[in-house]
Amino acid sequence: MKLLSLFCLLSLAIISCNQGPKHPQADLVNARIGTPMTEATILFYADSIDATLNTYEKNVSLVYQLGEATMRVEKYSLNGKPVLFSEFKNDEGISNRIKKYYFKNDSLILLNEGAKVTKEGTDIFEDRRIYLRNNIPFTEEYRSSASLSALKSEHFQHKKKTISSQTKEYSNDIKSLNDAVNGADKFDLVFDNIISTPEESHILLKSKVPNGYTASISVQTPDAYVDSLLKDPLAFKGEKLNIKWEVKDKEAVYVPVAANVTSANGLKR
């Protein structure tokens, strides 16, 4: 009997070890599959994602510009599947918007949007939430105020359902967010020029599409790659550059190439 008990304990220990550590969100992501989520459980789920953002895989887009408007996207994933897209849009003097798309089991469950809109010289702050099941909106709520501090004390009001709101498709929006992160389709930018000053340089990128998006990457730490671009920018004009960046203070900043790479020749495609 003692031998049997010892065997059982060893078996349990082996099973526990094989399971390995879980991501903090693993139980929340997989819990209650098939059970319809309510507004309250969706908000709880979204809050838990926000609280553990640093545990996810993060990918960021360039800071794209179109006219006076800029936009950038952050993508957070777990095991290769998106759990959150954050989209930041700023149209100078007109509006500043942040949209957050929350996913569970590959389905969009919440769109949370905050905005500052300027109308006739007056600022209006807005919050909007759209709750979804099976990628279909079932509830929308909204609040607004003349100041950000007052907005937080306002209660959300449910918006009346309309045919257009209930049949809204978000697949194109999600594709656009992915394209922004991956530099694809209308966000597929190529080298245009490099501008150098005593303090720093800027790599300028442009869309292959006329009047499309542009982007600038600040070079704060030059390397051999940047030296090649500065030496002969025309040789790389119109080429897709294989470079890395990070976003600091809402600006894309160049990440220097490894020391064993001596020029841009092998990286321009």
Side-chain angles (χ1 to χ4, degrees), residues 210-221:
N211 302 316
Y213 283 102
T214 61
S216 173
I217 303 176
S218 172
V219 180
Q220 299 174 0
T221 307

Side-chain angles (χ1 to χ4, degrees), residues 209-257:
V209 179
N211 302 316
Y213 283 102
T214 61
S216 173
I217 303 176
S218 172
V219 180
Q220 299 174 0
T221 307
D223 58 7
Y225 188 107
V226 173
D227 290 342
S228 295
L229 295 176
L230 287 167
K231 184 178 180 180
D232 191 5
L234 289 178
F236 303 96
K237 194 173 182 67
E239 297 286 348
K240 180 85 170 180
L241 298 183
N242 183 17
I243 58 179
K244 294 183 179 180
W245 64 87
E246 56 187 351
V247 175
K248 294 181 178 179
D249 298 325
K250 303 178 183 179
E251 181 182 35
V253 178
Y254 175 75
V255 175
V257 177

Side-chain angles (χ1 to χ4, degrees), residues 96-111:
N96 195 337
R97 299 180 183 275
I98 300 176
K99 288 184 179 181
K100 292 187 173 184
Y101 299 75
Y102 294 87
F103 294 80
K104 182 178 181 182
N105 301 323
D106 279 339
S107 291
L108 178 64
I109 61 169
L110 175 66
L111 170 56

Side-chain angles (χ1 to χ4, degrees), residues 15-61:
I15 292 172
S16 298
C17 290
N18 287 340
Q19 286 179 342
K22 285 186 177 181
H23 185 278
Q25 282 294 107
D27 291 332
L28 276 171
V29 170
N30 296 313
R32 300 173 68 181
I33 294 176
T35 303
M37 298 183 75
T38 64
E39 292 96 323
T41 56
I42 288 174
L43 287 178
F44 178 79
Y45 175 80
D47 287 343
S48 68
I49 289 176
D50 290 337
T52 55
L53 279 185
N54 62 344
T55 65
Y56 296 105
E57 177 188 352
K58 180 181 179 181
N59 296 98
V60 299
S61 76

Side-chain angles (χ1 to χ4, degrees), residues 24-266:
Q25 282 294 107
D27 291 332
L28 276 171
V29 170
N30 296 313
R32 300 173 68 181
I33 294 176
T35 303
M37 298 183 75
T38 64
E39 292 96 323
T41 56
I42 288 174
L43 287 178
F44 178 79
Y45 175 80
D47 287 343
S48 68
I49 289 176
D50 290 337
T52 55
L53 279 185
N54 62 344
T55 65
Y56 296 105
E57 177 188 352
K58 180 181 179 181
N59 296 98
V60 299
S61 76
L62 288 166
V63 181
Y64 298 101
Q65 184 164 352
L66 189 63
E68 296 298 317
T70 62
M71 68 91 68
R72 62 186 177 91
V73 177
E74 296 176 353
K75 179 181 180 180
Y76 297 87
S77 305
L78 174 62
N79 297 327
K81 295 183 178 181
V83 294
L84 171 65
F85 280 101
S86 294
E87 179 188 50
F88 304 85
K89 283 188 173 182
N90 181 37
D91 197 347
E92 195 64 38
I94 299 176
S95 65
N96 195 337
R97 299 180 183 275
I98 300 176
K99 288 184 179 181
K100 292 187 173 184
Y101 299 75
Y102 294 87
F103 294 80
K104 182 178 181 182
N105 301 323
D106 279 339
S107 291
L108 178 64
I109 61 169
L110 175 66
L111 170 56
N112 195 348
E113 179 179 358
K116 173 186 173 184
V117 181
T118 302
K119 296 180 179 179
E120 298 179 352
T122 301
D123 292 337
I124 300 175
F125 294 85
E126 304 172 342
D127 273 342
R128 182 170 64 121
R129 295 171 179 163
I130 299 176
Y131 302 86
L132 303 95
R133 293 193 191 105
N134 300 318
N135 295 306
I136 299 174
F138 69 90
T139 298
E140 181 176 351
E141 54 188 16
Y142 173 87
R143 66 183 180 182
S144 66
S145 183
S147 70
L148 185 59
S149 58
L151 179 70
K152 300 306 178 183
S153 62
E154 290 285 340
H155 293 291
F156 278 94
Q157 303 294 324
H158 279 79
K159 293 192 70 174
K160 185 178 180 180
K161 294 180 181 180
T162 63
I163 294 177
S164 60
S165 66
Q166 290 182 287
T167 58
K168 164 71 175 174
E169 278 284 346
Y170 291 94
S171 56
N172 288 336
D173 295 344
I174 296 167
K175 178 184 181 303
S176 182
L177 295 170
N178 267 310
D179 286 345
V181 171
N182 297 327
D185 201 5
K186 62 183 178 182
F187 299 104
D188 184 10
L189 306 188
V190 295
F191 178 74
D192 184 36
N193 202 356
I194 182 168
I195 298 175
S196 180
T197 67
E199 293 78 22
E200 61 181 354
S201 301
H202 283 86
I203 297 172
L204 306 182
L205 306 175
K206 68 175 183 179
S207 172
K208 296 178 181 179
V209 179
N211 302 316
Y213 283 102
T214 61
S216 173
I217 303 176
S218 172
V219 180
Q220 299 174 0
T221 307
D223 58 7
Y225 188 107
V226 173
D227 290 342
S228 295
L229 295 176
L230 287 167
K231 184 178 180 180
D232 191 5
L234 289 178
F236 303 96
K237 194 173 182 67
E239 297 286 348
K240 180 85 170 180
L241 298 183
N242 183 17
I243 58 179
K244 294 183 179 180
W245 64 87
E246 56 187 351
V247 175
K248 294 181 178 179
D249 298 325
K250 303 178 183 179
E251 181 182 35
V253 178
Y254 175 75
V255 175
V257 177
N260 61 340
V261 178
T262 58
S263 74
N265 290 329

